[in-house]
Amino acid sequence: MTKQGGPGKGQKGLRFDDDSITRQKVKKGTLRRIIPYAMRYRWPLAVLLLTTVVDAVITAASPLILKMIIDDGILPHRLGVVVWLCLGVAGLALLDALAVYVQTWCSGRVGEGLVYDLRTQVFKHVQQQSLAFFTRAQTGALVSRLNADVIGARQAVTILLSQSVSTIMTLLLVLSAMFYLSWQVTVASLVMIPFFLLPVRVISRRLQRLTRETMQLDAAMSSMMNERFNVSGAMLAKLYGRSQDEADLFAGRAGRVRDVAVGAVVHGRMLFIIVTVLTSLTTAVVYGIGGNLTIDGTLQIGTLVAMVTLLLRLYGPINQLSTMQVSVMTALVSFDRVFEVMDLEPLVAERPDARELPATTSAEGTAPDIEFDRVSFRYPSADEVSLASLESIAFRKPERTDTSWTLQELSFSAPAGKLTALVGPSGAGKTTLTHLVPRLYDPTTGTIRVGGHDIKDLTLQSLRDTVGVVTQDAHLFHDTLRANLEYARPGVSEQELVEACKAALIWDAVCALPEGLDTVVGDRGYRLSGGEKQRIALARLLVKAPPIVVLDEATAHLDSESEAAIQRALKTALAGRTSLVIAHRLSTIREADQILVVEAGRIRESGTHEELLAAGGLYADLYHTQFAQQAPEPAQVGADRA
Ligand SMILES: Nc1ncnc2c1ncn2[C@@H]1O[C@H](COP(=O)(O)OP(=O)(O)OP(=O)(O)O)[C@@H](O)[C@H]1O
């Protein structure tokens, strides 16, 4: 998340003008890495280069024909020559149009193909990152890698190959033609060019920086919109009465985008003005000197016209040549930024020789057990999981010291098919512990085994097929209930969906919805109550039917009817499964076959409810402060257990 000094105030934490972001140098070897991408399109690229050469030849040749029309046709009154040469010019114009058409098609094919390749690769790679990466990287910055940078990277291939070949070919051919026609006029017209090249270079460099900064600021702006326009962000702004501050903060960011964009437009225009002035001055020189030579009779009038036409065709490539280095650098930096994301090794990776976890069912006695063997865990630091440019905040100092262990030397076994409850004070590390089982994070030291297999030896797919997780605030996609449930197991039958909903005691509520299972839910859809959402999450778990269940019970206080419904639904969901439950309800704790008391990242006590109460330790304290008031009437306990 973006660190903020406070809405509307100076954004000290944000460093958009950070050198690491705007002045990035291209890393060594980037060019070499681009080649395989380009090679996939070698045929369209070859045609692209061929048509570029054809275009350059026609550009240089047509003024020469113009000269011949005037000098060899019009002046000596030879109509036949004029007609044939004009037909030649028309033919060349058509050929050039065809060449440019094919060139554009090939360039689009290569460019868009490259955008597709890079986008799909980055998307897949980002999905493989560990949860730690997503807790740090800004969504807007990530989205901009897939949009702006990927498009910038496309330029690298198209500019590098087609523009550079076209520029160099045109320059060589046009200059040769000019020298051939009159070396004196050519030299005179070229003398001024160096005086213009220096300012062009300086301005292009500034333009490059401004373009990069615009990209970064745009990413920050879209990040802010992403955060503020989702339901939770919008609600927070309203509840704390910060709408005006938010508007001011946004106006500040939009203002910077405006200022930088104005700078970019002005610099771009300055380049254009310089080239126009240069063209006008040199045209004047050519007409001045060439006119003189024509009056002398040294030059023919057709040669003079051809010289001026060639000169006008020279400045486009000269301008491109002076800015090409900058354009190529900008495009290469974009490639670099895409590679930077792709080089980020996922912290949780599958071993090359990973094995499938043998399929098990949830039938009593066949679910695998879970074993923690001296497991310690420390949350990875920022530079291990993320990139400064994805956080919009440069790392200034190491974030943590080696002593900040979240879990220390945990050893326990959650028996197969049994319910293990985790209790403990807030911040003790219970959620962190459960995140290690489906490998959302990997332990820093120690081993976790499922069914006797080290989970690091298993394929991620088979592990995640085996472990089902229900978090406290279950997320539902903005889609129909049916699609949300099918997400757990694509292809599940209607009958199974209905059964899962019935078992999670949510079927009646689903039937009461405007369109039943086809009601759109999630962030922008139909709002379900907290209890309903929990039971939908349980139904989704039942659709998946995993042998191991990791569950974080809702802390929200529910009315006794909903509480009883969830409790019954839970009993069904957990039956026969190896369950690890972060328990907030006395009823769950009483049901547990084993209770682990977690405090400050360690397991302090373990046993059954009765044993731990009798021991009079931490659990007994917790029981009296947190759970005792939930104690139901004796009659209800009896009913629950029945
Ligand atoms: N993504 C994270 N990065 C860094 N530290 C984290 C992260 N998530 C949690 N922590 C820290 O780890 C510690 C344990 O947090 P955890 O959420 O596991 O506790 P908990 O026992 O589940 O608490 P609660 O019952 O309040 O949910 C806390 O000090 C927390 O600040």
Side-chain angles (χ1 to χ4, degrees), residues 53 141 157 173 214 246 265 280 293 367 380 457 602:
V53 172
V157 172
L173 291 172
T214 309
E246 294 285 356
V265 169
S280 311
L293 293 173
D457 292 336
R602 290 178 186 274

Side-chain angles (χ1 to χ4, degrees), residues 185 281-294 304-305 308-309 311:
V185 180
L281 286 182
T282 43
T283 310
V285 169
V286 170
Y287 271 123
I289 300 175
N292 237 325
L293 293 173
T294 312
L304 183 61
V305 173
V308 173
T309 316
L311 193 68

Side-chain angles (χ1 to χ4, degrees), residues 61 126 139-140 144 207 227 258 277-278 284 386 451 462 481 489 494 546:
V126 166
T139 317
S144 119
L207 194 60
E227 268 200 339
R258 174 198 57 205
V277 170
L278 180 62
S386 176
S462 69
L481 255 184
R489 183 154 58 93
E494 180 81 15

Side-chain angles (χ1 to χ4, degrees), residues 335-398:
F335 242 117
D336 243 8
R337 283 161 57 87
V338 171
F339 285 150
E340 191 183 46
V341 177
M342 289 213 260
D343 287 344
L344 204 62
E345 287 290 334
L347 273 188
V348 175
E350 191 172 275
R351 287 189 176 150
D353 56 347
R355 286 172 288 119
E356 296 276 317
L357 179 65
T360 42
T361 64
S362 57
E364 195 93 40
T366 59
D369 63 341
I370 307 169
E371 193 191 341
F372 274 54
D373 186 1
R374 306 190 67 187
V375 169
S376 296
F377 176 76
R378 190 171 63 214
Y379 276 100
S381 61
D383 50 354
E384 284 174 86
V385 288
S386 176
L387 298 165
S389 51
L390 283 180
E391 299 192 23
S392 279
I393 302 162
F395 306 138
R396 274 153 281 174
K397 55 180 183 353

Side-chain angles (χ1 to χ4, degrees), residues 132 135 379-380 400 406 424-433 441 472 552 582 584:
T135 60
Y379 276 100
R400 58 175 65 245
T406 304
S426 178
K430 306 179 293 292
T431 308
T432 308
L433 186 159
Y441 295 92
Q472 247 198 44
D552 195 346
I582 301 175
H584 298 287

Side-chain angles (χ1 to χ4, degrees), residues 419 421 468-471 500-506 531 534-539 541-542 549-555 558 562-589 591 640:
L419 168 58
V469 181
V470 179
T471 53
C501 288
K502 284 185 176 161
L505 301 175
I506 189 70
Q534 267 263 318
R535 279 178 285 158
I536 291 288
L538 280 180
L541 179 94
L542 290 175
V549 172
V550 172
L551 190 136
D552 195 346
E553 268 190 337
T555 42
L558 301 165
S562 310
E563 160 96 40
I566 289 200
Q567 217 51 55
R568 287 204 305 278
L570 263 183
K571 268 186 99 164
T572 321
L574 304 184
R577 301 192 154 104
T578 310
S579 333
L580 206 54
V581 179
I582 301 175
H584 298 287
R585 299 209 183 83
L586 184 61
S587 43
T588 312
I589 296 171
E591 298 276 342
D640 269 356

